[in-house]
């Protein structure tokens, strides 16, 4: 999985062509976004998943950690989804309520995705804008560093980090976030560079507008589109990375769980007649990833309308 | 061009050094060592082992000895866990396996991905386009650790068509499932990138001109559109390669192929410092070389780029 | 040259003949035409060197490629291997082994006492630095400890070859179970000339010379090990399996799928799947006792351990509140036995003391646990916060989660701390834990292999349990006429002091193809020998 660089570049180019007439760009974009059925559908799904994560716990009949001793040991026969006994999604191998666990896993996975992506975007934007704005030697050194870091097999490093510092949710946030800012920094730097020499900026500088105002009024609105799109598309990547880490057994600690952990457990027992253990978490995982995709794509198309 | 390559190679050296130092320190900072065992070794035995493998030396000493061994005679040292084998032997056995199914997956992913993407772009907004987009998004969100057991279940247990694992020197029936599990998500990514890039190119001025001149569609695509449309695909190949090596962890675990991916995870968990370093350096070097190759390819496709 | 080749071909064919013989030489059962066998390994074999190997899976392969002084039969009794018999001196410290004169290495050279002397010295040699050097100490061979510590030259080890077929071993004190210890792979002979010629490469299939019933044909790390009969083996005429493959499959679920697809003949059953498989494949699903014991160790270190665990009432309450029946019947479901003591109940000669709480119902135990906790000043209103460490594994996780729920009832707020294996072990050995999961498998079939663990001078006593009375009993047992009396008394101390909570005793839960025979499943140590296995016609 990857973020499509052509379209990111195209978007960045377009947003750098003219001074963004703040309100109208976003107003236009909103109009176009709302016309895009896939994107609106994605947004609705995302909202539903958020509601599920936030309020699902209130309709769960069990907590995410208590064992149902009446079912334990006969999961394949009695642990299936049932309205009658309150296990709407069935139970996991130990007789824990899968509905409650899916709600809780959704919270963790969304948190990892959103926080990880936020870290990546913040670091990347700051780093890229700084390098681009300062320019010269500093820029050169900073971007060479990015080149070097890009050549590091980051998944290997992440595994090492989790092995060394132990598994914790903070480490997951930091580890996943810190390896994804490199692309972001490149895009932002490129855009900052091209903005720096735009007439409207030079004009503003010539008329004595302060640097701070230039950045606030002219550079930030131009970066915002790219950042928003990139951040949205980064979330599903983060969620996928987390699921891989969980598969390796280096994810969050019990009794907490995540989509990756649930899916990995469910796929291991696929052959034992407990299909619901894979089906429910995988369903939420897949629709959320789809939704983020469609929203991100829709956002980009709205900001950079072209016939595709 | 040559100067560019030389410059990139010059960066490669500090990159790899950084990687070596960083992973070396990280690994040694991890709790437990290669000889930490459930039974707990008597201190005398542990001291003998540490002396034998040089772990009683100060850290900087261990690191310089290690780096010198590699530089002077390409010796990555003995494995701390697989004591009959050297790191060179472990890599020599596992790497060709990973390379085999990795490169087949790579070729499969690129060919089908580009094919799918180009068709989707040409028949834009047709059912084929929607199908291609659907497949590519679907395939991207299905993790390969879900796909692997499903494949085994269907093709080994239910249909009995393919063996459920093993490598057997790379006979075709052992290669199919690893390749499918590994290549699907790359195929999807490549299809998506190709599609959007192809659309971009097809709408550009020079293609419009070519079309206006009345050139047949096939010629327009093959002669004018395909090459520039490949640029973003080419730049994706670098990261794709690294992710593929990572993905081989899943393949090695499910299909018992004996590749390098599992060797890395095992070595990190077993604190087999030498194997861990060896694989990291190998993958790091390959990444650097691959990125360089991608850049050269990029420059060849798009002569406008100057270095 | 040509005639020699022809001769060896004919010889090879003749030796291979028994495979096609229709009946088993001893039992007379009709044999299957196919005598191939494929079994499962969870991990790659780390070393094929008897003095380097440390794990159970490696030992299985080594028992086929090499042969020690004694072997085990189907139920774990000693049978002659490279040695025919031994004499024991009156003070019970000098063993004289008479080797089998016809025993040969796979290159045709005779197996001599010097080969054993070389191997044993190699195991103790500090320069060679074997991780299993401590086994020589455990065997109490004279000077082993001093040699390992580098205080004496390796030549002073109490083992010598009186002649080619006579091996003399001197041990420091009488050790009733010494002969049992000789089936362990680290005591197997190796060839000095081969090792010196090839160095660490000697274990490669093309160089390896062994004295076992099988020879190594292929060893691809992380994929497979292939073995075939050794025509030079002294009992080659009765070796029946012709082609043996061990496949490494890192995922137990995947391995089971491949067993069901017919790719394996023997595989372990993942936790919780035994009842279903036993119902579906009654002739293939097996559950037999295995000499291992699963416990949660309490950290009783006065400085590093939590203060609450210094209180015997808390330790007992914690142990009482674990519903072992739920763990074995609903979590593991593989016929494991709920455990209220430390030594595996089926250990030879061991007599279980009368452990009071094992007779109670779980409701009574829970009531008692709550009472003890209240006495100790804890309870639902004043919860006791503790942490339980365990290493990454599906079964450990499930048990820990269940225990967390049991302890909630007596007001214990348990945090689970899942760590990967090396970190877990490291923390246990540094007393950096509150409670930790641990399992111990017997090295030999005698209770001291368990009970030595909790002596204050044991290197394994990670919970730092100290009891002078216990130490005294264990020391006395070494020279006692009937050590089992002391073992029973020692177990009683453990039950009173509760330095750990026993949870369950292992069973080996496996799928085995119904035509396989000679699998040694009734051997409590689960030591099997390929030379005893065969397939019957069906």
């Amino acid at each position: 999985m990857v973020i499509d660089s052509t379209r990111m570049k195209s978007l960045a180019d377009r947003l750098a062509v003219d001074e963004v007439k703040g309100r109208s760009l976003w107003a236009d974009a909103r109009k176009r976004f709302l016309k895009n059925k896939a994107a609106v559908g994605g947004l609705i799904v995302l909202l539903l998943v958020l509601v599920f994560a936030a309020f699902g716990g209130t309709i769960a009949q069990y907590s995410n950690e208590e064992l149902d001793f009446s079912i334990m040991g006969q999961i394949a026969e009695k642990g299936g989804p049932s309205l009658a006994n309150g296990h709407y999604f069935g139970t996991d191998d130990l007789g824990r309520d899968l509905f409650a666990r899916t709600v809780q896993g959704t919270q963790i996975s969304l948190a990892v995705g959103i926080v990880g992506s936020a870290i990546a975007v913040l670091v990347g934007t700051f780093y890229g804008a700084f390098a681009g704005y300062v320019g010269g030697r500093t820029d050169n050194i900073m971007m060479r560093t990015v080149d070097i870091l890009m050549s590091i097999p980051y998944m290997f490093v992440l595994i090492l980090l989790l092995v060394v510092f132990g598994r914790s949710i903070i480490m997951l946030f930091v580890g996943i976030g810190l390896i994804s800012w490199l692309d972001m920094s490149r895009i932002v730097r490129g855009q900052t560079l091209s903005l720096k020499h735009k007439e409207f900026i030079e004009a503003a500088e010539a008329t004595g507008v302060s640097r701070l105002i230039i950045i606030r009024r002219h550079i930030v609105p131009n970066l915002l589109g790219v950042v928003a799109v990139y951040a949205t598309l980064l979330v599903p990547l983060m969620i996928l990375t987390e699921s891989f880490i969980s598969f390796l057994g280096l994810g969050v600690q019990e009794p907490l769980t995540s989509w990756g952990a649930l899916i990995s457990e469910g796929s291991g027992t696929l052959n034992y007649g407990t299909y619901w253990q894979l089906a429910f978490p995988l369903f939420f995982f897949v629709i959320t990833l789809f939704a983020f995709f469609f929203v991100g794509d829709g956002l980009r198309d709205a900001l950079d309308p072209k016939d595709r | 061009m040559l100067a560019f390559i030389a410059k990139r190679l010059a960066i490669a050296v500090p990159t790899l050094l950084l990687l070596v130092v960083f992973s070396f320190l990280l690994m040694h900072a991890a709790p437990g060592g290669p000889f930490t065992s459930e039974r707990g070794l008597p201190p005398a035995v542990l001291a003998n082992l540490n002396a034998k493998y040089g772990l009683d030396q100060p850290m900087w000493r261990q690191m310089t000895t290690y780096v010198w061994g590699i530089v002077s005679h390409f010796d990555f040292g003995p494995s701390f866990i697989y004591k009959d084998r050297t790191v060179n032997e472990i890599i020599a056995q596992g790497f060709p396996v990973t390379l085999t199914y990795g490169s087949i997956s790579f070729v499969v992913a690129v060919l089908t991905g580009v094919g799918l993407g180009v068709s989707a772009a040409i028949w834009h907004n047709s059912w084929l386009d929607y199908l291609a987009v659907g497949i590519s998004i679907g395939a991207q969100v299905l993790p390969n650790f879900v796909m692997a057991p499903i494949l085994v279940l269907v093709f080994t247990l239910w249909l009995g068509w393919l063996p459920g694992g093993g490598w057997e020197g790379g006979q075709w029936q052992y290669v199919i499932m690893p390749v499918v599990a590994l290549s699907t998500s790359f195929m999807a990514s490549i299809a998506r990138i190709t599609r959007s890039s192809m659309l971009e190119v097809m709408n550009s001025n020079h293609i419009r001109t070519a079309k206006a001149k009345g050139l047949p569609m096939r010629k327009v695509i093959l002669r004018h559109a395909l090459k520039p449309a490949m640029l973003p695909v080419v730049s994706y190949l670098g990261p794709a390669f690294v992710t593929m090596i990572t993905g081989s962890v899943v393949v090695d675990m499910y299909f018992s192929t004996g590749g390098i991916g599992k060797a890395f995870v095992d070595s990190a968990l077993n604190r087999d410092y030498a194997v861990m370093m060896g694989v990291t350096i190998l993958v790091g070097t390959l990444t650097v070389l691959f990125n360089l190759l991608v850049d050269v390819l990029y420059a060849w496709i798009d002569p406008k780029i100057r270095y | 040259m040509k005639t020699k080749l022809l001769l060896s071909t004919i010889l090879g064919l003749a030796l291979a003949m028994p495979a096609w013989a229709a009946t088993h030489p001893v039992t007379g059962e009709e044999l299957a035409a196919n005598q191939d066998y494929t079994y499962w390994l969870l991990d790659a074999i780390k070393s094929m060197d008897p003095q380097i190997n440390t794990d159970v899976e490696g030992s299985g392969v080594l028992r086929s490629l090499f042969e020690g002084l004694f072997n085990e039969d189907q139920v774990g009794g000693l049978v002659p291997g490279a040695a025919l018999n031994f004499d024991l001196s009156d003070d019970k410290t000098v063993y004289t082994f008479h080797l089998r004169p016809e025993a040969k290495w796979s290159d045709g050279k005779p197996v001599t006492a010097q080969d054993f002397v070389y191997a044993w010295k190699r195991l103790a040699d500090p320069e060679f630095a074997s991780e299993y050097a401590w086994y020589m100490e455990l065997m109490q061979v004279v000077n082993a400890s001093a040699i390992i510590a580098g205080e004496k030259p390796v030549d002073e080890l109490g083992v010598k070859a009186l002649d080619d077929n006579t091996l003399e071993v001197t041990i420091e004190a009488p050790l009733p179970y010494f002969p049992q210890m000789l089936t362990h792979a680290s005591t197997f002979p190796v060839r000095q000339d081969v090792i010196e010629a090839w160095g660490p490469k000697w274990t490669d299939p093309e160089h390896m010379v062994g004295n076992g019933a099988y020879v190594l044909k292929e060893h691809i790390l992380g994929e497979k090990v292939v073995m075939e009969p050794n025509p030079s083996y002294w009992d080659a005429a009765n070796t029946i399996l012709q082609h043996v493959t061990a496949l490494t499959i890192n995922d137990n679920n995947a391995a089971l799928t491949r067993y069901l697809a017919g790719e394996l003949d023997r595989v372990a059953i993942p936790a919780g799947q035994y009842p279903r498989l036993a119902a579906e494949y009654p002739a293939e699903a097996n559950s037999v006792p295995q000499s291992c014991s699963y416990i949660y160790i309490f950290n009783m270190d006065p400085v590093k351990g939590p203060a609450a665990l210094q209180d015997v009432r808390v330790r007992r309450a914690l142990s009482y509140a674990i519903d072992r029946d739920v763990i074995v019947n609903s979590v593991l479901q593989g016929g494991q036995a709920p455990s209220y003591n430390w030594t595996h109940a089926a250990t030879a000669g061991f007599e279980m003391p009368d452990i009071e709480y094992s007779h109670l119902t779980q409701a009574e135990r829970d009531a008692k646990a709550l009472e003890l906790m209240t006495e100790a000043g804890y309870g639902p209103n004043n919860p006791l916060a503790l942490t339980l460490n365990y290493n990454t594994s599906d079964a450990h996780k499930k048990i820990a989660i269940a225990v967390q729920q049991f302890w909630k009832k007596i007001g214990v707020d348990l945090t689970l701390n899942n760590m990967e294996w090396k970190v877990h072990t490291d923390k246990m050995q540094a007393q950096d834990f509150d409670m930790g999961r641990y399992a111990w498998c017997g090295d030999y079939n005698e209770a001291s292999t368990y009970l030595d663990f909790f002596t204050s001078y044991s290197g394994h006593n990670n919970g730092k349990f100290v009891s002078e009375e216990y130490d005294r009993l264990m020391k006395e047992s070494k020279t006692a006429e009937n050590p089992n009396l002391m073992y029973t008394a020692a177990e009683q101390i453990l039950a009173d002091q509760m330095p750990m909570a026993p949870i369950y005793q292992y069973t080996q839960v496996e799928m085995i193809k119904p035509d396989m025979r000679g699998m040694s499943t009734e051997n409590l140590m689960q030591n099997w020998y390929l030379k005893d296995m065969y397939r019957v016609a069906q």
Side-chain angles (χ1 to χ4, degrees):
Chain A
M1 188 142 138
V2 67
I3 291 175
D4 188 339
S5 58
T6 318
R7 296 170 74 177
M8 281 315 291
K9 203 166 155 294
S10 157
L11 170 65
D13 288 349
R14 181 186 140 78
L15 293 182
V17 166
D18 287 310
E19 177 174 15
V20 175
K21 292 170 199 69
R23 192 163 295 158
S24 78
L25 172 98
W26 290 93
D28 286 354
R30 189 165 63 232
K31 237 182 260 164
R32 280 191 290 266
F33 185 88
L34 291 176
K35 268 193 210 141
N36 183 338
K37 280 182 208 142
V40 174
L43 197 62
I44 293 171
V45 168
L46 274 189
L47 289 174
L48 290 177
V49 170
L50 273 176
V51 169
F52 176 76
F55 303 109
T58 55
I59 41 168
Q61 302 288 312
Y62 302 84
S63 78
N64 68 326
E65 53 176 0
E66 71 190 281
L67 310 174
D68 190 334
F69 290 105
S70 67
I71 287 175
M72 205 175 174
Q74 302 159 67
I75 306 296
E77 299 82 36
K78 292 190 186 165
S82 151
L83 287 177
N85 67 10
H87 295 297
Y88 309 132
F89 290 180
T91 68
D92 74 356
D93 253 9
L94 271 172
R96 286 180 295 183
D97 186 38
L98 200 61
F99 180 81
R101 294 189 67 70
T102 308
V103 169
Q104 198 263 302
T106 305
Q107 292 165 356
I108 295 274
S109 286
L110 285 181
V112 169
I114 292 168
V115 176
S117 149
I119 292 177
V121 166
L122 283 178
V123 175
T125 308
F126 177 76
Y127 193 95
F130 187 80
Y133 206 81
V134 174
R137 198 128 166 234
T138 318
D139 177 36
N140 207 6
I141 291 172
M142 284 175 83
M143 290 334 276
R144 283 294 86 81
T145 312
V146 168
D147 283 348
I148 288 178
L149 292 177
M150 279 220 154
S151 299
I152 287 177
Y154 73 83
M155 190 56 89
F156 284 40
V157 173
L158 182 56
I159 290 172
L160 280 182
L161 280 175
L162 288 168
V163 163
V164 173
F165 296 108
R167 58 237 328 287
S168 74
I169 199 156
I170 305 287
M171 207 57 229
L172 264 181
F173 284 154
V174 173
I176 290 183
L178 285 188
I179 54 184
S180 313
W181 60 271
L182 299 169
D183 272 323
M184 188 69 213
S185 70
R186 279 186 171 175
I187 295 173
V188 169
R189 171 184 170 267
Q191 217 189 349
T192 313
L193 271 184
S194 53
L195 281 174
K196 219 163 72 168
H197 303 295
K198 283 281 177 270
E199 283 160 13
F200 62 88
I201 302 251
E202 280 171 2
E205 272 171 358
T207 52
V209 180
S210 82
R211 260 184 151 180
L212 209 71
I213 293 180
I214 293 179
I215 292 178
R216 193 168 62 82
R217 243 198 225 146
H218 303 291
I219 294 190
V220 168
N222 279 292
L223 289 177
L224 214 57
V226 180
V227 170
V229 171
Y230 196 84
T232 317
L233 291 172
L234 206 51
V235 175
L237 292 189
M238 300 286 120
I239 294 177
L240 270 175
T241 308
E242 190 280 332
S243 75
F244 181 71
I245 293 295
S246 286
F247 162 77
L248 292 178
L250 294 169
V252 289
Q253 287 277 11
E254 287 286 348
L256 294 184
T257 190
S258 71
W259 282 336
L262 290 169
I263 291 171
S264 161
E265 276 166 28
S267 63
T269 54
L270 195 55
N271 196 16
Y272 306 143
T274 52
Y275 63 90
W276 59 86
Q277 291 174 0
L278 176 62
F280 288 105
L282 190 63
F283 171 75
F284 281 93
F285 180 82
V286 167
I287 59 162
T288 308
L289 260 53
F290 263 63
F292 269 111
F293 253 128
F294 286 136
V295 172
D297 267 1
L299 205 57
R300 180 172 51 204
D301 290 347
L303 288 168
D304 177 28
K306 274 187 188 170
D307 174 41
R308 352 191 122 84
Chain B
M1 194 69 203
L2 277 176
F4 163 72
I5 294 178
K7 207 169 105 191
R8 290 296 299 264
L9 284 177
I11 295 181
V13 175
T15 307
L16 288 176
L17 239 119
L18 186 80
L19 189 63
V20 169
V21 174
F22 185 65
S23 24
F24 197 92
L25 293 179
L26 214 52
M27 193 78 242
H28 283 260
F35 309 119
T36 304
S37 77
E38 180 162 34
R39 299 251 148 147
L41 297 180
V45 175
L46 194 61
N48 292 339
L49 275 163
N50 284 338
K52 185 175 177 182
Y53 286 92
L55 293 177
D56 52 348
Q57 305 284 328
M59 192 83 86
W60 65 269
R61 190 68 186 271
Q62 289 182 43
M63 205 182 319
T64 43
T65 315
Y66 179 76
V67 173
W68 180 242
I70 299 170
V71 175
S72 62
H73 38 287
F74 206 68
D75 178 10
F76 288 81
S79 163
F80 291 27
I81 300 291
Y82 300 100
K83 295 203 183 75
D84 305 357
R85 296 172 189 245
T86 63
V87 177
N88 294 29
E89 284 169 332
I90 290 176
I91 290 178
Q93 187 210 303
F95 185 56
V97 174
T98 306
L99 195 64
T100 308
Y101 67 67
S103 40
I104 297 177
S105 306
F106 205 80
V107 173
V108 168
V110 170
L111 289 183
T112 51
V114 169
L116 204 61
V118 169
S119 339
I122 294 172
W123 290 285
H124 184 38
N125 284 335
S126 72
W127 63 270
L128 189 81
D129 187 18
Y130 296 133
L131 186 73
V133 172
I135 289 177
S136 64
I137 296 182
Q140 277 186 92
V141 299
L142 198 62
N144 49 6
F145 60 83
V146 175
M147 206 148 96
I150 293 177
L151 284 174
V152 173
L153 206 60
V154 173
F155 292 101
T156 304
L157 194 58
W158 294 349
L159 300 174
W161 290 354
L162 293 169
W167 186 243
E168 301 296 334
Q171 291 171 41
W172 66 269
Q173 61 272 49
Y174 293 89
V175 180
I176 293 182
M177 287 201 290
V179 165
V180 172
L182 195 54
S183 61
T184 310
S185 89
F186 297 101
M187 184 271 287
S189 297
I190 292 173
R192 226 159 52 87
I193 297 173
T194 309
R195 177 179 172 273
S196 64
S197 151
M198 194 73 186
L199 281 176
E200 186 99 17
V201 173
M202 294 292 277
N203 285 327
S204 68
N205 288 335
H206 82 278
I207 298 293
R208 290 214 182 108
T209 320
K211 275 202 259 185
K213 278 200 300 193
L215 277 178
M217 196 60 182
R218 215 165 57 97
K219 247 185 189 163
V220 173
I221 290 165
L222 287 179
R223 205 174 281 169
H224 299 280
L226 206 51
K227 206 168 138 187
M230 283 303 97
L231 279 176
V233 178
V234 167
S235 61
Y236 167 62
L237 296 184
F241 169 79
V242 180
T243 324
M244 208 161 246
I245 297 273
T246 319
S248 73
V249 174
V250 176
V251 168
D252 287 340
M253 278 175 81
Y254 267 104
F255 299 111
S256 316
T257 35
I260 209 79
K262 183 71 171 77
F264 175 77
V265 174
D266 276 352
S267 65
L269 295 182
N270 287 331
R271 306 287 185 277
D272 194 344
Y273 301 141
V275 173
M276 195 279 307
M277 293 298 296
V279 177
T280 309
I281 292 173
L282 173 78
V283 174
T285 313
L286 286 171
T287 312
V288 169
L289 288 180
F290 215 85
N291 284 340
L292 179 62
L293 195 73
V294 164
D295 286 341
V296 171
L297 202 62
Y298 207 95
W300 174 73
I301 293 182
D302 185 2
K304 274 184 297 187
I305 292 176
R306 293 275 169 269
Y307 294 98
Chain C
M1 185 66 205
K2 238 181 197 162
T3 43
K4 204 176 156 196
L5 196 74
L6 191 68
L7 204 70
S8 65
T9 314
I10 292 173
L11 201 69
L13 282 175
L15 285 166
M17 276 308 281
W20 304 316
T23 58
H24 188 273
V26 179
T27 65
E29 286 165 288
E30 197 182 331
L31 293 179
N34 165 27
Q35 294 292 347
D36 292 353
Y37 170 59
T38 308
Y39 72 100
W40 172 61
L41 298 173
L42 178 64
D43 274 313
I45 300 285
K46 297 199 172 67
S47 172
M48 292 274 184
D49 186 320
Q51 278 82 46
I52 289 181
N53 166 65
T54 57
D55 49 47
V56 176
E57 295 185 323
S59 301
V61 172
L62 288 175
R63 278 193 302 273
S64 310
L65 299 176
F66 296 87
E67 186 168 74
L69 294 168
F70 291 100
N71 293 328
E72 287 173 26
D73 62 14
Q74 290 290 303
V75 292
L78 282 193
V79 288
L84 291 167
N85 50 42
F86 63 89
D87 304 322
L88 181 56
S89 66
D90 289 338
D91 64 351
K92 295 183 179 171
T93 55
V94 182
Y95 284 81
T96 311
F97 296 96
H98 303 288
L99 302 194
R100 191 184 289 279
E102 75 270 26
K104 293 217 168 27
W105 290 93
S106 54
D107 63 353
K109 294 196 178 150
V111 178
T112 65
Q114 285 84 0
D115 296 328
F116 280 92
V117 173
Y118 173 70
W120 288 28
K121 285 184 178 166
R122 190 169 177 252
L123 186 64
D125 189 350
E127 217 167 294
F128 183 67
S130 167
E131 283 187 58
Y132 251 56
W134 58 268
Y135 198 76
M136 264 299 134
E137 284 181 84
L138 203 64
M139 285 163 68
Q140 302 195 28
V141 176
V142 163
N143 289 336
S145 308
I147 291 168
I148 292 167
E151 289 153 11
K152 279 190 178 168
V154 74
D155 282 335
E156 292 188 21
L157 189 68
V159 52
K160 62 181 176 218
L162 299 181
D163 61 49
D164 276 359
N165 290 319
T166 317
L167 179 72
E168 187 191 274
V169 182
T170 315
I171 55 178
E172 275 162 357
L175 198 58
Y177 46 88
F178 182 78
Q180 266 87 30
M181 298 183 77
L182 299 172
T183 61
H184 196 274
S186 58
T187 68
F188 290 174
V190 289
R191 275 272 290 277
Q192 184 168 10
D193 57 331
V194 175
I195 291 173
E196 281 169 3
W198 300 109
K201 299 264 132 319
W202 81 275
T203 54
D204 288 358
E206 60 269 33
H207 306 316
M208 186 189 266
V209 175
N211 67 331
Y214 286 79
V215 288
L216 186 62
K217 283 285 160 192
E218 234 182 315
H219 179 200
I220 304 178
L221 202 65
E223 189 190 347
K224 62 177 176 176
V225 175
V226 180
M227 290 173 279
E228 280 176 8
N230 171 8
S232 310
Y233 181 61
W234 62 269
D235 199 18
N238 294 321
T239 312
I240 301 171
L241 292 179
Q242 290 303 301
H243 190 82
V244 179
T245 313
L247 295 180
T248 303
I249 305 171
N250 298 120
D251 184 277
N252 197 175
N253 293 312
L256 180 61
T257 309
R258 290 177 66 182
Y259 172 91
L260 295 174
E263 292 180 31
L264 290 166
D265 296 314
R266 182 179 196 173
V267 76
I269 295 175
Q273 293 306 315
Y274 176 70
R276 184 180 70 86
L277 292 165
E280 214 171 318
Y281 308 93
E284 296 175 47
N286 270 281
S287 168
V288 288
Q290 181 186 11
S291 182
C292 302
S293 193
Y294 190 102
I295 56 171
Y296 284 163
I297 293 187
F298 300 135
N299 186 357
M300 292 170 65
D301 189 292
V303 182
K304 297 177 189 163
L309 292 180
Q310 295 290 329
D311 188 338
V312 66
R313 290 171 300 194
V314 173
R315 297 197 301 269
R316 291 171 81 157
L318 290 171
S319 175
Y320 286 7
I322 297 172
D323 190 339
R324 292 154 179 89
D325 290 318
V326 165
I327 290 174
V328 298
N329 297 330
S330 302
V331 178
L332 299 165
Q333 304 184 66
Q336 289 85 353
S339 170
Y340 303 92
N341 77 312
W342 171 224
T343 309
H344 194 289
T347 305
F350 174 66
E351 272 174 52
M352 186 77 75
D354 185 47
I355 295 171
E356 192 201 336
Y357 77 107
S358 70
H359 308 307
L360 306 176
T361 66
Q362 188 58 41
E364 289 166 338
R365 278 196 284 262
D366 284 346
K368 209 152 193 169
L370 204 55
E371 203 176 291
L372 285 165
M373 285 302 276
T374 318
E375 271 176 43
Y378 301 100
N381 299 324
N382 179 24
L384 168 61
L386 286 170
T387 305
L388 172 69
N389 291 4
Y390 64 97
N391 58 294
T392 310
S393 138
D394 202 34
H396 301 334
K397 183 176 79 182
K398 287 177 174 173
I399 294 170
I401 290 164
V403 169
Q404 189 181 35
Q405 298 297 311
F406 299 144
W407 284 351
K408 213 174 218 176
K409 286 188 283 194
I410 57 164
V412 173
D413 193 359
L414 187 68
T415 307
L416 298 184
N417 201 359
N418 172 17
M419 285 170 295
E420 47 109 355
W421 175 233
K422 288 276 176 176
V423 181
H424 176 64
T425 309
D426 197 54
K427 287 197 185 277
M428 294 281 281
Q429 286 166 5
Q431 280 75 49
D432 182 10
F433 69 103
D434 289 357
M435 291 177 285
R437 176 212 78 89
Y438 201 82
W440 180 267
C441 292
D443 285 312
Y444 43 87
N445 194 358
E446 213 257 0
S448 64
T449 188
Y450 288 97
L451 293 166
D452 283 343
F453 186 98
F454 282 105
T455 55
S456 62
Y457 47 86
S458 150
H460 305 312
N461 186 352
N462 291 327
K464 297 292 165 203
F465 166 68
V466 181
S467 157
E468 278 172 31
E469 174 67 3
Y470 188 91
D471 288 357
R472 191 184 56 77
L473 281 167
M474 291 314 295
K475 273 186 188 145
E476 268 177 31
S477 76
K478 299 294 172 204
T479 49
E481 198 63 37
N482 180 7
N484 284 309
L485 294 174
M486 279 107 194
Y487 298 159
T488 307
E491 276 285 0
Q492 189 62 58
I493 294 178
L494 293 182
D496 293 339
Q497 292 297 314
M498 211 71 86
M500 45 88 197
I503 295 183
Y504 75 93
Q505 299 189 338
Y506 279 44
T507 47
Q508 178 108 331
V509 197
E510 293 175 301
M511 296 289 277
I512 301 177
K513 282 279 143 80
D515 60 337
M516 290 301 306
R517 295 288 183 275
M519 309 297 283
S520 304
T521 50
E522 280 161 55
N523 179 344
L524 187 64
M525 308 302 293
Q526 295 299 330
N527 287 342
W528 44 261
Y529 291 83
L530 282 181
K531 66 183 177 62
D532 296 335
M533 298 185 191
Y534 54 98
R535 306 191 89 113
V536 293
Q538 285 191 318

